[in-house]
mmCIF file of all heavy atoms in Angstrom:
data_model
loop_
_atom_site.group_PDB
_atom_site.id
_atom_site.type_symbol
_atom_site.label_atom_id
_atom_site.label_comp_id
_atom_site.label_asym_id
_atom_site.label_seq_id
_atom_site.Cartn_x
_atom_site.Cartn_y
_atom_site.Cartn_z
ATOM 1 N N SER J 285 -9.303 -29.064 23.238
ATOM 2 C CA SER J 285 -10.147 -27.935 22.820
ATOM 3 C C SER J 285 -9.248 -26.839 22.184
ATOM 4 O O SER J 285 -8.113 -26.439 22.726
ATOM 5 C CB SER J 285 -10.850 -27.344 23.997
ATOM 6 O OG SER J 285 -11.438 -26.130 23.709
ATOM 7 N N THR J 286 -9.737 -26.261 21.084
ATOM 8 C CA THR J 286 -8.977 -25.173 20.443
ATOM 9 C C THR J 286 -9.413 -23.826 21.066
ATOM 10 O O THR J 286 -8.733 -22.826 20.842
ATOM 11 C CB THR J 286 -9.150 -25.157 18.976
ATOM 12 O OG1 THR J 286 -10.605 -24.991 18.700
ATOM 13 C CG2 THR J 286 -8.639 -26.469 18.300
ATOM 14 N N ALA J 287 -10.470 -23.733 21.826
ATOM 15 C CA ALA J 287 -10.941 -22.510 22.368
ATOM 16 C C ALA J 287 -9.919 -21.923 23.180
ATOM 17 O O ALA J 287 -9.534 -20.652 23.204
ATOM 18 C CB ALA J 287 -12.299 -22.753 23.065
ATOM 19 N N ALA J 288 -9.380 -22.639 24.241
ATOM 20 C CA ALA J 288 -8.485 -22.132 25.263
ATOM 21 C C ALA J 288 -7.136 -21.671 24.427
ATOM 22 O O ALA J 288 -6.597 -20.789 24.723
ATOM 23 C CB ALA J 288 -8.175 -23.205 26.287
ATOM 24 N N GLU J 289 -6.752 -22.572 23.506
ATOM 25 C CA GLU J 289 -5.452 -22.303 22.831
ATOM 26 C C GLU J 289 -5.609 -20.971 22.094
ATOM 27 O O GLU J 289 -4.619 -20.196 22.014
ATOM 28 C CB GLU J 289 -5.222 -23.511 21.842
ATOM 29 C CG GLU J 289 -3.838 -23.478 21.199
ATOM 30 C CD GLU J 289 -3.643 -24.692 20.381
ATOM 31 O OE1 GLU J 289 -3.242 -25.706 20.925
ATOM 32 O OE2 GLU J 289 -3.787 -24.576 19.069
ATOM 33 N N GLU J 290 -6.696 -20.833 21.404
ATOM 34 C CA GLU J 290 -6.852 -19.586 20.604
ATOM 35 C C GLU J 290 -6.925 -18.242 21.398
ATOM 36 O O GLU J 290 -6.349 -17.340 21.262
ATOM 37 C CB GLU J 290 -8.146 -19.632 19.796
ATOM 38 C CG GLU J 290 -8.084 -20.697 18.691
ATOM 39 C CD GLU J 290 -9.390 -20.964 17.991
ATOM 40 O OE1 GLU J 290 -10.363 -20.417 18.503
ATOM 41 O OE2 GLU J 290 -9.385 -21.824 16.977
ATOM 42 N N LEU J 291 -7.627 -18.428 22.629
ATOM 43 C CA LEU J 291 -7.625 -17.232 23.523
ATOM 44 C C LEU J 291 -6.324 -16.920 24.162
ATOM 45 O O LEU J 291 -5.937 -15.736 24.198
ATOM 46 C CB LEU J 291 -8.696 -17.646 24.693
ATOM 47 C CG LEU J 291 -10.201 -17.635 24.272
ATOM 48 C CD1 LEU J 291 -11.039 -18.077 25.389
ATOM 49 C CD2 LEU J 291 -10.627 -16.226 23.754
ATOM 50 N N VAL J 292 -5.617 -17.954 24.603
ATOM 51 C CA VAL J 292 -4.289 -17.785 25.139
ATOM 52 C C VAL J 292 -3.294 -17.289 24.176
ATOM 53 O O VAL J 292 -2.577 -16.340 24.379
ATOM 54 C CB VAL J 292 -3.755 -19.097 25.854
ATOM 55 C CG1 VAL J 292 -2.369 -18.973 26.273
ATOM 56 C CG2 VAL J 292 -4.663 -19.557 26.959
ATOM 57 N N ALA J 293 -3.414 -17.940 22.893
ATOM 58 C CA ALA J 293 -2.519 -17.375 21.861
ATOM 59 C C ALA J 293 -2.618 -15.996 21.541
ATOM 60 O O ALA J 293 -1.704 -15.154 21.307
ATOM 61 C CB ALA J 293 -2.736 -18.313 20.639
ATOM 62 N N ALA J 294 -3.956 -15.435 21.477
ATOM 63 C CA ALA J 294 -4.183 -14.087 21.132
ATOM 64 C C ALA J 294 -3.740 -13.175 22.289
ATOM 65 O O ALA J 294 -3.101 -12.111 21.976
ATOM 66 C CB ALA J 294 -5.832 -13.921 20.965
ATOM 67 N N ALA J 295 -3.961 -13.614 23.496
ATOM 68 C CA ALA J 295 -3.439 -12.785 24.599
ATOM 69 C C ALA J 295 -1.923 -12.748 24.616
ATOM 70 O O ALA J 295 -1.383 -11.633 24.850
ATOM 71 C CB ALA J 295 -4.007 -13.325 25.974
ATOM 72 N N VAL J 296 -1.316 -13.890 24.469
ATOM 73 C CA VAL J 296 0.150 -13.915 24.490
ATOM 74 C C VAL J 296 0.700 -13.068 23.287
ATOM 75 O O VAL J 296 1.732 -12.261 23.523
ATOM 76 C CB VAL J 296 0.704 -15.404 24.358
ATOM 77 C CG1 VAL J 296 2.159 -15.399 24.131
ATOM 78 C CG2 VAL J 296 0.397 -16.078 25.657
#
Side-chain angles (χ1 to χ4, degrees):
S285 170
T286 59
E289 188 174 281
E290 292 170 355
L291 289 170
V292 173
V296 168

